């Protein structure tokens, strides 16, 4: 939303300059601005990451996800919100926000199913679509 407001403000500044420097009528310029504003000037949606969950012990599940926007490279302009639930239906609890593409969820209960989802977000408060739900079961105690 912040980015959209910046775009509209920039268009208004350009409009004032065009009116003052050219013979463009204010009426034609207003129509042109209305046509631009009526279109969706927001940025394209953030892609949904692809998430995998791998149990590695009775108390840890390793999580990995993709970032198609940056070619799977870490980029501080984008962060990820990881959520966990005991079933795919939820309820979901946010467990970490990170710029990394992996997280080791530790301190879990043995022989328990955990489900995860992740989504990308930006500094401009743009939230992406949630990833697939990935579930894994921690190992039972020996």
């Amino acid at each position: 939303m912040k980015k959209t407001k910046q775009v509209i403000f920039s268009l208004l500044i350009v409009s004032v300059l065009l009116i003052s420097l050219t013979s463009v009528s204010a009426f034609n310029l207003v129509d042109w601005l209305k046509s631009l504003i009526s279109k969706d000037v927001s940025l394209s949606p953030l892609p949904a990451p692809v998430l995998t969950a791998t149990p590695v012990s009775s108390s840890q599940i390793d999580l990995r996800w993709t970032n198609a926007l940056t070619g799977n490279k870490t980029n501080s302009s984008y962060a990820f919100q990881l959520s966990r639930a005991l079933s795919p239906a939820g309820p979901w609890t946010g467990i970490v926000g990170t710029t990394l593409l992996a997280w080791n969820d530790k301190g879990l209960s043995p022989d328990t199913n955990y489900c995860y989802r992740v989504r990308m977000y930006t500094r401009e408060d743009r939230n992406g679509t949630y990833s697939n739900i990935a579930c894994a079961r921690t190992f039972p105690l020996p």
Side-chain angles (χ1 to χ4, degrees):
M1 184 59 108
K2 184 178 178 183
K3 197 65 151 180
T4 302
K5 288 179 184 176
Q6 290 173 341
V7 169
I8 291 171
F9 182 71
S10 298
L11 288 172
L12 290 173
I13 290 173
V14 168
S15 301
V16 170
L17 287 173
L18 280 173
I19 290 171
S20 63
L21 298 175
T22 68
S23 61
V24 173
S25 74
F27 180 75
N28 289 340
L29 201 50
V30 168
D31 285 343
W32 176 73
L33 280 172
K34 284 181 183 176
S35 73
L36 284 178
I37 292 171
S38 68
K39 295 177 183 173
D40 183 18
V41 292
S42 64
L43 301 172
S44 60
L46 297 171
V50 177
L51 175 65
T52 59
T54 307
V56 294
S57 73
S58 61
S59 63
Q60 180 176 326
I61 294 175
D62 289 353
L63 304 155
R64 306 276 181 268
W65 54 90
T66 61
N67 180 349
L69 212 55
T70 63
N72 289 325
K73 294 180 182 159
T74 301
N75 181 326
S76 62
S77 296
Y78 303 100
F80 298 90
Q81 176 190 19
L82 185 64
S83 301
R84 177 177 62 207
L86 295 176
S87 82
W92 295 94
T93 302
I95 58 172
V96 71
T98 180
T99 57
L100 302 175
L101 298 174
W103 183 259
N104 300 327
D105 196 10
K106 300 176 182 179
L108 304 174
S109 298
D111 199 24
T112 304
N113 192 58
Y114 292 94
C115 296
Y116 300 89
R117 66 183 184 178
V118 65
R119 73 174 172 178
M120 182 187 297
Y121 63 94
T122 69
R123 293 181 193 168
E124 293 86 21
D125 296 326
R126 288 176 55 216
N127 288 324
T129 305
Y130 279 107
S131 68
N132 57 299
I133 295 172
C135 297
R137 187 172 206 81
T138 51
F139 298 154
L141 290 175

